[in-house]
């Protein structure tokens, strides 16, 4: 017998459209070949080109690898703009991120940047959070399909706003810190950061107060567990890894070293998205072929992007991330406007699609520019002064 | 006499031939491509099989497929890195021998 949520969902079609009997009883992913183009039916009457999805995956991977983020904040809105209903977009993004996070964990484990004890506690919290987030999403969908879409897009916009603000604060703080330390001591900036909040939280003696030897700190397990629940909530409801919130939280609130925070957070994010993928697959809203095709693109893009970071300075990475986040707010905003107008203004949907592709294309073009200029500089060619400031290497190589 | 436990024995990293690493990387990448192609080519058949298997099995199979693809890709990238490093080391050794 199918779960109650599925039975509820079967009463309405995606995007409030006509009733599709198969909408959630099994994945709607009939692959169709039209000439050399393969299209995938993602909802009733909505088809998406598979090569486009592979390209989007490659672009997201390139940005994610270059900027050192998971890229989940780009995936779910783009899938929704391309026509996936919210639960389908979240389920597919979770499947894709489960594979991608596994690659990240294995890489960080090789480098020794994973605190397994803290990761397991966070992962336990992430399991609860993911279930709550997933139930909230499907509950919204059961009320009305458009409710879920609007809720996800609105939350995504709030989340992107939080990223943009936290990025601005972080950039200002790191500039001030660099100015205080001086260029020569900038390497010291990579270690542990002791804030008043982290000293307060580490001082809270709530049982069990656990020592994390790898992170060299002692903190109550409840705080770590709570952080895991937040990550799980985000992954369950939005299909994102939540690194943009948990990484600063681990560094500034828990007091974990920066590099260790990235690897440890990946364990919680991986658990959240994998559990979410499992639950969504049970409900039949994971598009496996789409997830696999995009995973291939994302994995290759991430490796290329990560290679590119050795050619540029931190400021170039931050510029790409800022461009990506700023552009990423536009697409969901236009799609939301289209939904709020009762899906009547068709050109808004077309503009949202165009902006969604541009929000990938602009940062990718920036990365390509940095890499081409970096190559030219290494070969002794002329490079514009504003680009030269962002490239790694000796100043006399201009 | 106290014998060293396994964790106390410092293991030396296993040296791999760069050709073997390249072959391993290519095989892993090809496997992922085959998985993706199969999922695309047999979409409707997969749908039917999953629908027959039931919700829990559908969830488990989906997670297993995605994680295998991720694991294979991680393995392929790791081996590709080893191959590039091994190739460079071999070229350096050859250059030193020539000198």
């Amino acid at each position: 017998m199918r779960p109650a949520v599925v039975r509820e969902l079967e009463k309405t079609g995606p995007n409030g459209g006509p009733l599709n009997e198969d909408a959630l009883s099994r994945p709607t992913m009939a692959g169709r070949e039209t000439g050399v183009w393969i299209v995938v039916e993602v909802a009733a009457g909505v088809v998406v080109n598979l090569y486009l999805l592979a390209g989007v995956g490659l672009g997201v991977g390139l940005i994610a690898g270059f900027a050192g983020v998971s890229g989940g904040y780009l995936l779910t809105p783009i899938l929704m703009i391309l026509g996936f209903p919210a639960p389908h977009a979240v389920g597919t993004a979770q499947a894709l991120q489960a594979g991608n996070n596994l690659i990240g964990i294995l890489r960080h484990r090789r480098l020794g940047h994973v605190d397994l004890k803290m990761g397991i506690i966070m992962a336990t919290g992430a399991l609860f959070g993911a279930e709550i987030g997933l139930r909230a999403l499907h509950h919204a969908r059961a009320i009305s399909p458009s409710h879920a879409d609007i809720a996800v897009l609105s939350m995504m916009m709030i989340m992107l706003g939080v990223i943009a603000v936290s990025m601005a604060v972080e950039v200002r703080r790191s500039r001030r810190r660099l100015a205080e330390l001086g260029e020569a001591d900038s390497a010291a900036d990579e270690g542990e950061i002791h804030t008043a909040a982290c000293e307060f939280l580490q001082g809270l003696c709530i049982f069990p107060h656990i020592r994390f030897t790898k992170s060299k700190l002692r903190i109550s397990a409840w705080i770590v567990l709570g952080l895991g629940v937040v990550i799980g909530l985000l992954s369950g409801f939005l299909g994102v890894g939540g690194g943009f919130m948990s990484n600063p939280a681990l560094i500034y609130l828990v007091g974990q070293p920066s590099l260790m925070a990235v690897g440890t957070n990946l364990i919680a994010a991986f658990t959240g998205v994998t559990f979410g993928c499992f639950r969504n697959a049970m409900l039949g809203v994971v598009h496996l072929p789409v997830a696999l095709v995009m995973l291939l693109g994302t994995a290759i893009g991430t490796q290329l992007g990560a290679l590119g970071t050795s050619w540029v300075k931190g400021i170039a990475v931050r510029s790409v991330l800022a461009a990506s986040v700023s552009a990423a707010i536009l697409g969901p905003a236009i799609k939301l406007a289209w939904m709020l107008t009762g899906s009547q203004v068709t050109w808004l949907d077309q503009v949202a699609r165009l902006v969604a592709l541009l929000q990938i294309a602009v940062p990718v073009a920036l990365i390509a520019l940095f890499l081409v200029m970096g190559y030219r500089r290494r070969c002794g060619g002329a490079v514009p002064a504003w680009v030269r400031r962002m490239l790694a290497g000796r100043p006399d190589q201009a | 006499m106290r014998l060293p436990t396994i964790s106390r024995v410092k293991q030396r990293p296993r040296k791999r031939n760069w050709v073997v690493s390249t072959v391993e990387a290519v095989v892993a990448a090809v496997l992922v491509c085959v998985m993706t192609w199969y999922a695309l080519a047999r979409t409707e058949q997969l749908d039917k099989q999953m629908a027959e298997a039931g919700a829990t099995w559908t969830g488990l199979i989906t997670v297993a497929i995605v994680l295998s693809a991720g694991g294979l890709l991680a393995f392929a990238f790791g081996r590709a890195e080893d191959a590039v490093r091994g190739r460079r080391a071999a070229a350096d050794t050859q250059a030193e021998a020539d000198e």
Side-chain angles (χ1 to χ4, degrees), chain A residues 26-27 29-31 50 95 98-99 102-103 106-107 110 270 274 277-278 281-282 286 288-289 292-293 295-296 299-300 303, chain B residues 32-33 35-36 39-40 43-44 47 50-51 55-56 58-60 62-63 65-67 69-71 73-74 77-79 81-82:
Chain A
R26 64 178 183 81
M29 53 186 186
L50 212 63
L102 183 66
I103 299 173
L106 293 175
R107 176 173 268 264
R110 228 178 168 191
F270 171 72
T274 307
C277 168
F278 168 69
M282 279 176 75
V286 176
L288 193 57
L292 283 175
V293 167
L295 177 64
L296 262 177
I300 294 167
Q303 301 296 319
Chain B
V32 180
C33 291
M35 273 170 74
T36 311
L40 277 170
T43 306
E44 281 173 13
D47 286 355
M50 285 203 183
T56 311
T58 304
L60 286 174
T62 307
V63 169
I65 290 173
V66 169
L67 293 188
L73 280 170
F77 290 131
R79 287 292 169 272
E81 219 170 85
D82 288 347

Side-chain angles (χ1 to χ4, degrees), chain A residues 252-275:
Chain A
Y252 296 111
L253 297 180
V254 176
Q256 208 178 24
S258 310
L259 285 173
M260 198 70 82
V262 179
T264 308
N265 170 58
L266 268 175
I267 295 182
F270 171 72
T271 312
V273 291
T274 307
F275 180 73

Side-chain angles (χ1 to χ4, degrees), chain B residues 10-26:
Chain B
K10 199 176 176 186
Q11 290 183 342
R12 283 164 60 190
R14 196 155 60 96
K15 275 194 175 179
R16 279 195 188 82
N17 186 340
W18 68 270
V19 182
V20 177
S21 296
T22 312
V23 172
E24 285 174 341
V26 171

Side-chain angles (χ1 to χ4, degrees), chain A residues 36-378:
Chain A
V36 289
W37 301 105
I38 299 175
V39 290
V40 179
E41 190 174 1
V42 294
V46 182
V47 288
V48 182
N49 190 314
L50 212 63
Y51 295 106
L52 177 73
L53 289 171
V56 166
L58 189 71
V60 170
L62 200 62
I63 298 165
F66 192 80
V69 292
S70 70
Y73 68 95
L74 287 167
L75 279 170
T76 312
I78 285 182
L79 289 178
M80 283 183 70
I81 290 167
L82 290 176
F84 285 68
H88 293 240
V90 169
T92 309
Q94 279 172 338
L96 165 60
Q97 290 212 57
N100 222 7
N101 282 353
L102 183 66
I103 299 173
I105 289 176
L106 293 175
R107 176 173 268 264
H108 279 278
R109 197 167 159 262
R110 228 178 168 191
L111 298 168
H113 296 159
V114 177
D115 187 336
L116 203 62
K117 198 199 263 183
M118 192 181 278
I120 289 172
I121 296 174
M122 281 174 77
T124 313
L127 283 177
F128 286 105
E131 180 64 28
I132 297 166
L134 184 129
R135 278 177 184 264
L137 175 66
H138 285 281
H139 182 70
R141 176 90 179 157
I143 295 168
S144 152
S146 58
H147 265 65
D149 292 3
I150 291 170
V152 168
L153 284 175
S154 310
M155 280 292 291
M156 196 58 81
M157 282 180 61
I158 294 169
M159 190 195 85
L160 289 170
V162 170
I163 303 178
V165 171
S166 64
M167 254 176 53
V169 171
E170 175 55 26
V171 167
R172 189 173 290 179
R173 192 180 289 164
S174 60
R175 267 189 198 156
R176 203 184 307 148
R177 203 181 305 134
L178 277 177
E180 281 168 11
L181 290 170
E183 285 289 321
D185 293 330
S186 59
D189 193 37
E190 298 297 316
E192 297 162 53
I193 294 164
H194 288 286
T195 58
C198 103
E199 275 173 21
F200 170 74
L201 288 176
Q202 285 184 15
L204 279 177
C205 284
I206 309 167
F207 181 79
H209 207 234
I210 298 176
R211 177 178 290 282
F212 297 97
T213 26
K214 202 146 188 200
S215 303
K216 295 173 194 158
L217 61 94
R218 201 178 158 89
I219 199 165
S220 171
W222 293 107
I223 295 166
V224 181
L225 195 77
L227 201 59
V229 172
V230 175
I231 297 170
L233 269 172
L234 288 170
S235 64
F237 195 76
L238 300 174
V240 298
F244 69 95
M245 270 181 122
S246 51
N247 273 350
L250 278 173
I251 295 165
Y252 296 111
L253 297 180
V254 176
Q256 208 178 24
S258 310
L259 285 173
M260 198 70 82
V262 179
T264 308
N265 170 58
L266 268 175
I267 295 182
F270 171 72
T271 312
V273 291
T274 307
F275 180 73
C277 168
F278 168 69
R279 290 283 284 116
N280 276 318
M282 279 176 75
L283 297 172
V285 291
V286 176
H287 293 261
L288 193 57
V290 173
L292 283 175
V293 167
M294 289 186 83
L295 177 64
L296 262 177
T298 315
I300 294 167
T302 308
Q303 301 296 319
L304 291 176
L307 280 176
T309 48
S310 59
W311 292 48
V312 295
K313 284 181 184 168
I315 190 166
V317 173
R318 283 195 290 270
S319 309
V320 168
L321 190 58
S324 163
V325 171
S326 311
I329 299 176
L330 272 177
I334 299 169
K335 184 80 177 177
L336 195 61
W338 176 71
M339 283 176 176
L340 292 175
T341 53
S343 315
Q344 299 296 318
V345 191
T346 44
W347 61 266
L348 270 178
D349 188 38
Q350 300 298 325
V351 172
R353 278 167 193 252
L354 187 71
V355 170
L357 296 180
L358 279 177
Q359 75 190 38
I360 299 285
V362 170
V364 166
L366 258 177
I367 294 170
L369 174 83
F370 287 135
L371 296 185
V372 169
M373 288 298 162
Y375 182 74
R376 273 187 75 170
R377 189 181 187 188
R378 288 194 180 193

